Amino acid sequence: METSARRSRTLKRRRWGGLRQQWQLLGLFQIDEQHEFYHLTCMMKEGLSAAIQRTSDPVPTAELSENDFKSEVTHIHKDFTMETFAGPVFASLRGSLGLTEQEYQQSLCSEHFYLQFISNSKSRADFFLTNDKRFFLKTQNRREIKFLLSNLKIYVEHLKKFPHSLLVKFLGVHRITFPRRQKKFFIVMQSVFYPDERINARYDIKGCEVSRWTDPALEESHIIVVLKDLNFEGQFITLDQQRSWLLRQVEIDTQFLRRLNVLDYSLLLAHQPLHWDERHHSFANIIIRTKRSVIPSFSPKHPVASVPGEVLEDNSSAIMSEKTLTEHASGAEMVHAFPECTVPCGDTTDVLDYQAQNRRLLPNLKNPLHVIDGPEQRYFIGIIDIFTVYSFKKRLEHWWKSLRHPGKSFSTVSPDTYCHRLQRWVQDHTK
């Protein structure tokens, strides 16, 4: 019996050694039947399917109640149970992002395997990615889940006030309990880097220098390396007209996190070159995209929960011809249609001098909230990892790092210092 058990452990170690080597080569690894997390991810899919179906059935109400934020629903399955926390709240949030329950379920519960994401992050959490790479599932500890749920109301209010907030979009909180009473909390998040087919560099920015360098992947390598602050030195996020919007939104979001007394969050950043047609938008396309950004009733698909930047599925029903748009796009009519936009004198290509918050042009992508187009590059930007509270333990860590790294900047500082330092980083690295 002992020999059999020892042989099993040896085989498991060899299998995991092989998997680790493949992860080092690929960055993403398919969770198939041979993978240790296969049964867990199958349970996640089954549980999520039932949970999403439940939120799809009721008619959504305009206002969320206190009970919605405290809601805990348990679904009992054959080999496990799954609890869903604040289900109506997250369903409402998904709707506000222009995400239907049907496409959410289709992505999370499809027959395709989840992907295991292995990065150079120090996080001990397990990261799973839907096969279409649209949503992340991340395990969290009880303290982090409690923090999120206790601040969920003000988080939702912040996103409602600033629909183009850079904060990561949490779409669900769950706990799964399986044989031998093991429990795992996990959250579902919108991926900042979606779609990622043409992304050529990814960065995790904290605004400091200690331990903020990562060796880049070798040329032609398939390794997904997330670079850091020092790797970005000498580069800029070039946005031109949208720079003021980004600076303002970073200020708004980091001040919000400062009030939550958190630190050590990251500004995720990625970029890819724009195609010629993406760099040279027609005047008609500018108007269409601005209507989507400014007028909530423009989209027939989500008339109740529309958000600036929502992407239409059926363009034929909503998009007028370029000739028709141009004929009706005089300066006076633009002011009437978009009262919050300033129409400058001069070239019509500069007709949309939109205000700083919530009124920006967005590309026609399914993830417009974290995407900003500059003149030559498309940038994916989002703020993640917002669970680290400035506790007594973190204060001690700050004291220790001050002794160990005199005169250098490191991540463990007060929320106020962290907030303003990240703001300065963005200001110094944009133009």
Side-chain angles (χ1 to χ4, degrees), residues 225-262:
V225 174
V226 180
L227 303 171
K228 298 181 181 179
D229 301 60
L230 297 180
N231 298 96
F232 196 80
E233 286 307 303
Q235 302 181 62
F236 291 91
I237 305 170
T238 305
L239 296 175
D240 287 352
Q241 294 182 12
Q242 296 206 63
R243 179 177 183 268
S244 61
W245 177 87
L246 178 63
L247 294 179
R248 178 61 177 147
Q249 194 60 56
V250 168
E251 178 185 1
I252 290 169
D253 289 332
T254 54
Q255 289 289 355
F256 171 76
L257 296 176
R258 181 186 62 80
R259 291 193 295 273
L260 291 183
N261 198 37
V262 299

Side-chain angles (χ1 to χ4, degrees), residues 314 329 359:
D314 184 7
R359 295 293 182 261

Side-chain angles (χ1 to χ4, degrees), residues 67-122:
N67 288 335
D68 290 330
F69 286 89
K70 298 175 183 177
S71 170
E72 295 183 20
V73 175
T74 301
H75 284 96
I76 300 175
H77 301 266
K78 181 180 177 181
D79 300 318
F80 67 97
T81 61
M82 194 164 91
E83 294 168 88
T84 298
F85 300 92
V89 178
F90 288 107
S92 175
L93 179 57
R94 294 193 293 267
S96 73
L97 300 176
L99 177 64
T100 68
E101 294 299 275
Q102 181 181 6
E103 61 181 324
Y104 183 61
Q105 186 177 43
Q106 184 178 8
S107 182
L108 285 170
C109 309
S110 76
E111 61 184 13
H112 301 294
F113 297 123
Y114 280 175
L115 305 172
Q116 169 95 40
F117 178 63
I118 303 296
S119 74
N120 46 318
S121 168
K122 294 180 180 179

